């Protein structure tokens, strides 16, 4: 009876973990955490409605990507993540639609209509990233299908959402040196992590004809490029920090470096979903700690 009870508990916990990871809830928390860390840098509390809007918008976009009909007919390498998404496709669609309603309501309630042009270009990139609406050489393609473009699109949108939107909310000029440093640092950090998912999707991208860095340059060159991006992020520390706080801020970059170096396509889905995305939450915890130290 004890063994059966432990088995049920393990099964329940695993199902819960799968739901959090593969429904993009974990990823949406990471987006919220990175946005929050930008507010912490300026020693301002994150507005609840803005944080909720970022969280739900991320849920919407990533779950929309998961339920697109054409993606379920692509040749893919079987995995627990893909099997879970296929088995819960209807639930993911409901979650995506519900998240969209909440994000849209908060957007208009907060009076962000004056920034609809800025927000729209990010939304367009995010939707066109997965939706094949461009016809090239007789084949319909999404933005992610263009050679080597995936990682840069991901890094740009995430950096814009988690740095530029807080800056706009606080009425800070996007071209100011501090904002540019924060944006560039966040861009390089996300770029490095995006390469990890190119490694995960190596076989799938080959099957679908998507040319990514691992497919073009090889795994080792991809990892070295990702590590170079982390070095660039490490050199872009905001000014005015003590040596202790500078050292603490390097911790997420070091952890990301380890995740990148040991990334292999054959690793468990949990390695990518839990660790690679989890590094972004570590970034938030570290920035919160630095803010608490007052440096």
């Amino acid at each position: 009876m004890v063994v059966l009870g432990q088995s049920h508990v393990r099964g329940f916990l695993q199902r819960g973990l799968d739901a959090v990871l593969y429904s993009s809830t974990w990823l949406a928390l990471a987006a919220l955490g990175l946005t929050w860390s930008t507010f912490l840098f300026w020693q301002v509390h994150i507005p609840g409605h803005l944080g909720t809007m970022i969280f739900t918008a991320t849920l919407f976009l990533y779950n929309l990507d998961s339920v697109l009909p054409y993606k379920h007919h692509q040749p893919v390498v079987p995995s627990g993540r893909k099997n879970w998404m296929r088995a819960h496709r209807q639930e993911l669609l409901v979650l995506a639609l519900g998240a969209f309603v909440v994000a849209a309501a908060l957007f208009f309630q907060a009076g962000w209509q004056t920034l609809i042009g800025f927000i729209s270009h990010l939304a367009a990139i995010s939707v066109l990233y997965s939706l094949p609406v461009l016809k090239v050489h007789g084949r319909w393609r999404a933005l992610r299908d263009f050679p080597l473009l995936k990682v840069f699109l991901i890094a740009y949108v995430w950096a814009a959402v988690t740095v530029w939107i807080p800056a706009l909310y606080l009425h800070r000029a996007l071209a100011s040196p501090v904002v540019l440093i924060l944006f560039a640092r966040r861009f390089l950090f996300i770029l490095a992590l995006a390469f990890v998912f190119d490694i995960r999707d190596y076989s799938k991208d080959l099957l679908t004809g998507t040319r990514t860095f691992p497919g073009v340059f090889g795994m080792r060159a991809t990892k070295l490029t990702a590590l170079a991006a982390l070095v660039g992020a490490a050199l872009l520390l905001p000014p005015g920090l003590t040596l202790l706080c500078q050292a603490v801020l390097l911790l997420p970059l070091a952890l990301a470096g380890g995740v990148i170096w040991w990334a292999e396509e054959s690793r468990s889905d949990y390695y990518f979903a839990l660790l690679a995305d989890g590094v972004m939450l570590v970034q938030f915890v570290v920035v919160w700690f630095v803010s608490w130290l007052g440096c």
Side-chain angles (χ1 to χ4, degrees):
M1 292 294 291
V2 174
V3 174
L4 286 174
Q6 291 176 343
S7 177
H8 282 303
V9 170
R10 284 197 300 269
F12 175 78
L13 291 176
Q14 183 173 355
R15 288 192 296 272
L17 180 62
D18 289 348
V20 170
L21 296 179
Y22 303 149
S23 69
S24 297
T25 302
W26 184 244
L27 190 64
L29 285 172
L32 171 60
L34 289 179
T35 306
W36 196 340
S37 68
T38 303
F39 279 95
L40 285 172
F41 173 76
W42 282 310
Q43 300 180 338
V44 177
H45 292 293
I46 185 173
H49 68 275
L50 179 57
T52 305
M53 186 180 77
I54 298 297
F55 177 82
T56 52
T58 306
L59 269 184
F60 163 66
L61 288 168
Y62 277 87
N63 283 301
L64 176 66
D65 177 78
S66 299
V67 301
L68 287 173
Y70 85 95
K71 299 194 77 172
H72 290 268
H73 300 289
Q74 289 181 327
V76 296
V77 178
S79 69
R81 179 177 64 93
K82 285 294 183 182
N83 292 337
W84 189 95
M85 288 179 174
R86 285 178 168 172
H88 297 84
R89 189 177 173 189
Q90 289 185 339
E91 292 90 338
L92 291 177
L93 178 59
V94 171
L95 179 60
L97 293 176
F100 173 77
V101 170
V102 173
L106 289 171
F107 176 81
F108 287 105
Q109 181 185 13
W112 282 71
Q113 293 90 321
T114 55
L115 296 175
I116 197 165
F118 176 81
I119 301 294
S120 293
H121 98 278
L122 297 177
I125 292 173
S126 300
V127 172
L128 294 176
Y129 174 82
S130 296
L131 203 60
V133 296
L134 301 172
K135 197 170 186 179
V136 180
H137 301 306
R139 177 186 169 190
W140 291 100
R141 294 177 180 269
L143 288 179
R144 61 172 290 143
D145 295 323
F146 287 84
L148 309 181
L149 192 58
K150 283 174 55 179
V151 290
F152 297 104
L153 292 174
I154 293 169
Y156 172 73
V157 171
W158 273 75
V161 168
T162 62
V163 174
W164 278 349
I165 286 182
L168 289 170
Y169 183 88
L170 297 172
H171 306 290
R172 297 179 181 271
L174 300 188
S176 65
V178 172
V179 174
L180 288 176
I181 289 174
L182 289 176
F183 178 86
R185 191 170 195 269
R186 187 67 47 79
F187 178 90
L188 292 172
F189 177 60
I190 299 298
L191 180 66
L193 292 174
F195 283 118
V196 173
F197 294 95
D198 269 1
I199 293 172
R200 181 196 67 183
D201 295 337
Y202 174 73
S203 294
K204 187 205 77 171
D205 288 332
L206 287 181
L207 289 170
T208 57
T210 302
R211 301 181 66 193
T212 61
F213 274 81
V216 175
F217 301 110
M219 292 291 186
R220 183 176 177 82
T222 298
K223 291 181 180 182
L224 291 175
T225 303
L227 293 175
L230 288 180
V231 171
L235 295 175
L236 289 171
L237 285 171
L241 297 175
T242 65
L243 288 177
L244 172 62
C245 288
Q246 289 180 23
V248 171
L249 285 175
L250 294 178
L251 175 61
L253 302 182
L255 292 175
V259 171
I260 290 164
W261 189 250
W262 282 291
E264 302 292 343
E265 185 188 15
S266 58
R267 287 200 178 275
S268 163
D269 289 319
Y270 295 135
Y271 182 90
F272 298 99
L274 188 60
L275 295 184
D277 290 338
V279 170
M280 292 187 278
L281 284 168
V282 174
Q283 170 84 355
F284 160 69
V285 173
V286 165
V287 172
W288 177 85
F289 180 68
V290 167
S291 175
W292 178 76
L293 288 177
C295 56

